[in-house]
Amino acid sequence: MIDSRLIIIGLKLPMISPGDDLVGLLLESIAKEGIELEDGDVLAITLKIVSKSMGLLVDIRNIEPSNEAIKIANKTGLDPRVVELILRESDSIIAAIPFEAIIRNKVIDLSKYSKDLNRALKAVKYYPTILITVRDNMLWSESGIDTSNHPPNIYSIPPRNIDEVAKKISMEIFKRTGRKVAVVLCDTELFPWGAMDIARGCYGIEPLTSEFGEYDMYGKPKFGGIDNIVYEICGVAGLIMRQGAEGIPAVLIKGLKYKWFDGGLKDKLIGLDQLSRGLKLTIRHTRKVIGFRRILKIICKYFST
C-alpha cells in the first residue's frame, strides 16, 4: 500500500478565527509552498483548527456549572465550569485519572519529561484530574475540549459527526481544484506511554487495511494485516505539527498508495460496544485459562497499595 518514499509537507496557516475559509487558507498555503495538488494526496488537519473555523469556541466565564459539575469538581480539584462543559460534551464519564496524585507520588517523574519542572508542575495544577469520557462512541480525555493555544478562558469543542466534516473539506477541495484529496482529522490524546496524534475522522481513504490472512513472504497466512492507516497518518503528521507554538496545523502527504474510499472512520473502526463484548469474553476466557485464584494474586501483586 505504501510506496518506498513519502513526501510530507507542513502547511503554515495564520491564526484561525470563526468563519474563516479553512479550505481557502489551506490551498493558499499549498500554493505558497510551490506544490501542485494531485489526485491521491492526503491532507492531515488538526481537529482544533476545524473547530475554530466552525466557531465551536466557548468562553468558560459564561458557563454556569450544574450541581453535578460542582460535586465532581469538589472531588477532582477541577474548575466546576470546565467540568460542566465536559459533562455537556460527553455521553458519560467512565474514569477519573488522579494525575496530580500520580505526579506527587512519583509514579511518573515529571522532571524526566520537562525542561522546566516548576512550569510543568504549574500546568499540572490546571488538570489535577483527567476525566476519561465517551463521546460519539469514542473514548476521549475531557470530551475533547481544549484550551491549549487559545486565549485565556477560551476552549474549543470538537465537532459532531467528524467523518462528515472531513468529507465536506474533501468535497470542497475537489470543487475548487478538481483534485480528489483524502482528508484525515487528527487529535492529540494522552496514553500511558505518552501523547500521540490519532484520527478522529476521515474521508476518501479506507481507515483500516483488509489484509488479515494474506500470505506472508513464506506463503503462510499472516495473523495481522489490519493496519490503522489513518492513525499512522496522524502519527506521521504529528512529527511536523507538534503541539506547541510551531503554527503548522496541517500536513500534506504525497506518495501514499491507497484506494479511494467513499466512507469514514466510523465505517471501519471497532466501536465501544464491540470492545465491551470483547472484554467480557476476554475476562471469562482468562478466568477459564489461568483460574480465579491466580487472577487475584496478579491483582494483589500489581494493584495493591
Side-chain angles (χ1 to χ4, degrees):
M1 183 173 183
I2 299 176
D3 202 347
S4 59
R5 185 177 68 171
L6 294 178
I7 300 174
I8 305 165
I9 305 143
L11 302 176
K12 271 190 165 292
L13 294 180
M15 293 296 292
I16 303 298
S17 300
D20 280 351
D21 178 10
L22 182 57
V23 169
L25 292 172
L26 288 166
L27 294 177
E28 284 179 19
S29 181
I30 292 170
K32 286 179 181 178
E33 292 290 335
I35 304 163
E36 183 178 346
L37 203 60
E38 300 173 291
D39 288 339
D41 287 348
V42 178
L43 193 57
I45 309 169
T46 56
L47 192 58
K48 186 182 300 182
I49 66 163
V50 175
S51 294
K52 284 183 177 182
S53 68
M54 295 175 67
L56 298 175
L57 301 174
V58 173
D59 189 328
I60 203 69
R61 292 170 295 186
N62 297 327
I63 296 291
E64 185 69 31
S66 62
N67 289 334
E68 182 182 4
I70 293 171
K71 288 178 182 178
I72 294 174
N74 289 336
K75 296 175 182 178
T76 59
L78 294 170
D79 185 328
R81 300 169 301 176
V82 174
V83 175
E84 176 62 28
L85 188 55
I86 292 170
L87 288 173
R88 292 180 186 181
E89 290 299 322
S90 71
D91 301 320
S92 60
I93 297 175
I94 63 170
I97 301 173
F99 190 63
E100 187 176 29
I102 287 171
I103 300 301
R104 186 173 61 248
N105 288 281
K106 301 294 184 181
V107 177
I108 297 175
D109 183 357
L110 204 56
S111 65
K112 294 181 179 180
Y113 309 104
S114 174
K115 296 176 182 177
D116 186 324
L117 182 59
N118 289 329
R119 194 164 56 206
L121 292 174
K122 184 178 179 180
V124 171
K125 292 293 183 182
Y126 285 104
Y127 296 98
T129 302
I130 299 172
L131 299 177
I132 305 301
T133 64
V134 175
R135 187 181 194 266
D136 294 342
N137 208 26
M138 289 189 288
L139 289 177
W140 300 73
S141 58
E142 314 288 359
S143 301
I145 70 169
D146 195 352
T147 188
S148 66
N149 292 318
H150 291 313
N153 300 307
I154 302 300
Y155 287 75
S156 60
I157 300 169
R160 300 282 180 168
N161 200 350
I162 301 174
D163 286 338
E164 186 62 28
V165 174
K167 181 177 180 178
K168 287 181 179 179
I169 293 172
S170 177
M171 296 297 289
E172 186 62 25
I173 291 173
F174 180 76
K175 178 181 176 181
R176 299 190 192 189
T177 68
R179 300 299 186 185
K180 295 181 71 173
V181 175
V183 172
V184 182
L185 300 182
C186 307
D187 177 43
T188 304
E189 266 297 355
L190 299 173
F191 295 92
W193 47 87
M196 295 177 64
D197 286 274
I198 65 171
R200 289 298 186 183
C202 65
Y203 177 75
I205 183 169
E206 197 160 11
L208 304 177
T209 59
S210 303
E211 298 176 3
F212 192 93
E214 293 297 306
Y215 292 122
D216 66 10
M217 291 186 296
Y218 295 93
K220 305 187 305 294
K222 62 184 178 183
F223 191 87
I226 310 177
D227 299 333
N228 196 319
I229 297 298
V230 290
Y231 271 43
E232 292 173 345
I233 286 170
C234 290
V236 168
L239 294 173
I240 295 179
M241 293 190 293
R242 310 298 294 169
Q243 298 174 38
E246 288 79 6
I248 302 176
V251 169
L252 184 67
I253 300 174
K254 288 180 169 290
L256 184 65
K257 304 302 180 184
Y258 65 93
K259 292 182 179 179
W260 188 263
F261 178 64
D262 190 20
L265 191 61
K266 284 188 176 181
D267 296 312
K268 289 287 185 175
L269 201 64
I270 295 174
L272 292 181
D273 50 346
Q274 295 166 285
L275 288 176
S276 176
R277 296 202 307 270
L279 180 60
K280 290 177 183 177
L281 290 171
T282 299
I283 292 171
R284 291 173 190 167
H285 196 56
T286 301
R287 181 178 178 181
K288 176 182 176 182
V289 171
I290 69 174
F292 186 69
R293 289 185 179 180
R294 191 171 179 184
I295 293 173
L296 286 177
K297 287 182 180 179
I298 293 171
I299 292 173
C300 290
K301 179 180 179 180
Y302 290 105
F303 297 99
S304 59
T305 56

